Structures are given as structure tokens and as C-alpha cells.
């Protein structure tokens, strides 16, 4: 009897979650308990309840994820949980950014069943799993990227949740309703977020978060 692993699959496409579930239900020589989340908000709700996951498989292209910002949040708030990024964007620059922001591996969505299994096996055993690098993989993180990622990492999970809703265009009263807290609480969160991001307006806050989008990486 092999080890038992608790793995969290975070992807907004049910079909791909199902494909991952199929890939990981066999071939790992271990007992695997799989839990699915279809959004960053669902992921955060699960992490509010428990933080002892053995691995998170994180799709970068999801509502509320804003590219690498979800990865930055995970690595800063839950550094004990390894994260493997999954994406259909397979440029070497995207691999490199994922690694720079603390991922333990990268699984292209074009991977074979065996490729997915091997990547997950490598990380569960304490290693890393990266596709072979290609020429032109982009330079190091810019000073702006380093600054923004550090600012995002300073947010609490609830502040990050509020920030993504601000970026989605919700008003304070709408965010308060969604999160079931008072509008005054949201105003306090927004003030703290602005201070941490060193911005003065909701538009500037949205731009800071959107700077972490994947397009920024692939166009380096």
C-alpha cells in the first residue's frame, strides 16, 4: 500500500478537471484523494477550512485569477503547499514566470496522460517538474513585477478576494453583499489594499493586479 495524497484541482473547465481526475486516479502508485475547485474564490474557501493539502494544481486562466496573481497569493499565504501550474499558454516565458513566482512545476494542457502523471509524481516526491526550456525564454522579473508581486503577497486572503472583486467592477456595497459583511468592513479593506499597493484609485488597483496577467509574460 503506497502513500495517500490529498490533491486540489483548481480549474474552471469541468471537462479538464475530469481529465485530470482520470489521469491522477491511476498510475501514481499511491492513494489519491482529489478535490475540485472551479474558481479562485472556491479555492480560497477550501483553504479557509484546511491547509494541509499535498499539492494544488492551479490553472492560470480562470475568472478571478488574473494570471500569476493567484499563484503569488498561494505561495505567500500557504508556502507549505506545493503548487503546479497548468496552462494552455505554453511559451517558455510563461514557464519561467511561473517558476519565478514560486511554482514547483508546470503542466502544459497539451501533455499526455503519462506526462501529467510523471509531473505530479515528481512534485509529490519533493522534486520539481518543468518542460524543457526553449530559446528566448524571457529575462528576469522586472523591478515592477517584483514590486507588484511583493505588494500582492502582503495582502491577506480576504483582501485579495476584495481586490479581485474591485477589479471585476463591483461596488463596495455589492462586495459586502457577496462576502456577507458590512460595507464599512469592505471600505476598511479597500483602504488597506490601496495602502499596500501604493495606489489611490480603484482603477490603479485594477491595473496593478492586471499587470500579473499572462500576456505580460509572453510578451517579455
Amino acid at each position: 500500500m503506497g502513500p495517500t495524497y490529498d490533491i486540489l484541482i483548481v480549474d474552471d473547465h469541468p471537462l479538464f478537471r475530469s481529465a485530470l481526475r482520470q489521469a491522477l486516479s491511476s498510475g501514481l502508485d499511491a492513494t489519491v484523494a482529489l478535490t475540485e475547485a472551479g474558481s479562485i474564490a472556491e479555492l480560497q474557501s477550501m483553504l479557509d477550512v484546511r491547509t494541509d493539502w499535498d499539492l494544488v494544481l492551479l490553472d492560470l486562466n480562470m475568472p478571478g485569477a488574473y494570471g500569476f496573481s493567484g499563484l503569488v497569493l498561494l505561495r505567500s499565504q500557504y508556502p507549505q503547499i506545493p503548487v503546479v501550474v497548468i496552462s494552455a499558454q505554453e511559451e517558455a516565458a510563461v514557464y519561467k514566470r511561473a517558476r519565478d513566482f514560486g511554482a514547483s512545476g508546470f503542466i502544459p494542457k497539451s501533455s499526455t496522460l503519462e506526462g501529467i502523471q510523471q509531473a505530479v509524481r515528481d512534485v509529490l516526491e519533493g522534486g520539481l517538474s518543468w518542460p524543457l526550456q526553449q530559446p528566448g525564454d524571457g529575462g528576469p522579473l522586472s523591478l515592477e513585477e517584483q514590486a507588484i508581486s511583493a505588494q500582492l503577497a502582503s495582502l491577506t486572503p480576504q483582501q485579495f478576494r476584495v481586490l479581485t472583486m474591485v477589479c471585476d467592477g463591483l461596488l463596495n456595497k455589492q462586495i459586502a453583499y457577496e462576502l456577507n459583511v458590512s460595507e464599512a468592513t469592505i471600505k476598511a479593506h479597500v483602504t488597506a489594499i490601496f495602502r499596500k499597493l501604493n495606489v489611490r484609485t480603484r482603477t490603479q488597483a485594477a491595473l496593478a493586479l492586471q499587470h500579473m496577467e499572462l500576456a505580460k509574460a509572453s510578451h517579455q
Side-chain angles (χ1 to χ4, degrees):
M1 185 76 177
T4 298
Y5 295 113
D6 290 307
I7 299 176
L8 186 49
I9 298 171
V10 189
D11 192 296
D12 63 326
H13 291 101
L15 199 61
F16 192 73
R17 292 202 306 269
S18 178
L20 280 175
R21 180 178 283 277
Q22 179 187 349
L24 301 179
S25 294
S26 61
L28 290 186
D29 300 320
T31 302
V32 178
L34 300 168
T35 304
E36 299 178 15
S39 66
I40 290 293
E42 277 187 41
L43 167 64
Q44 288 184 295
S45 296
M46 291 175 179
L47 291 171
D48 287 344
V49 176
R50 59 175 293 194
T51 58
D52 60 343
W53 302 94
D54 295 298
L55 176 65
V56 172
L57 298 174
L58 178 69
D59 180 19
L60 289 180
N61 286 315
M62 278 196 308
Y66 290 94
F68 296 103
S69 62
L71 173 60
V72 169
L73 172 82
L74 269 172
R75 297 303 300 142
S76 63
Q77 298 294 336
Y78 312 98
Q80 76 281 8
I81 306 176
V83 181
V84 170
V85 166
I86 302 169
S87 181
Q89 285 194 247
E90 300 180 15
E91 298 93 339
V94 178
Y95 304 161
K96 187 173 188 305
R97 285 295 178 270
R99 187 170 57 193
D100 288 342
F101 288 127
S104 294
F106 189 103
I107 298 176
K109 284 200 171 181
S110 62
S111 298
T112 63
L113 198 69
E114 293 76 16
I116 293 171
Q117 291 168 342
Q118 186 60 52
V120 169
R121 191 182 297 117
D122 288 346
V123 174
L124 286 174
E125 291 174 355
L128 304 172
S129 180
W130 296 97
L132 292 174
Q133 290 298 298
Q134 305 159 9
D137 65 351
L141 290 175
S142 68
L143 292 177
E144 186 177 16
E145 285 174 316
Q146 291 177 37
I148 292 174
S149 64
Q151 290 167 344
L152 289 174
S154 74
L155 300 178
T156 66
Q158 185 75 333
Q159 286 169 350
F160 184 85
R161 196 175 280 138
V162 170
L163 174 60
T164 60
M165 296 172 97
V166 166
C167 291
D168 287 339
L170 273 67
L171 302 173
N172 284 356
K173 63 182 178 182
Q174 294 171 308
I175 299 172
Y177 176 81
E178 290 290 334
L179 298 181
N180 197 28
V181 297
S182 71
E183 193 172 341
T185 297
I186 298 303
K187 285 181 179 177
H189 278 317
V190 170
T191 299
I193 291 165
F194 283 9
R195 186 180 70 250
K196 288 182 176 181
L197 297 184
N198 195 26
V199 299
R200 294 183 178 182
T201 68
R202 297 168 89 86
T203 300
Q204 289 173 336
L207 287 173
L209 189 56
Q210 288 164 0
H211 192 84
M212 305 298 287
E213 293 277 24
L214 300 190
K216 297 289 183 181
S218 57
H219 293 153
Q220 288 293 323

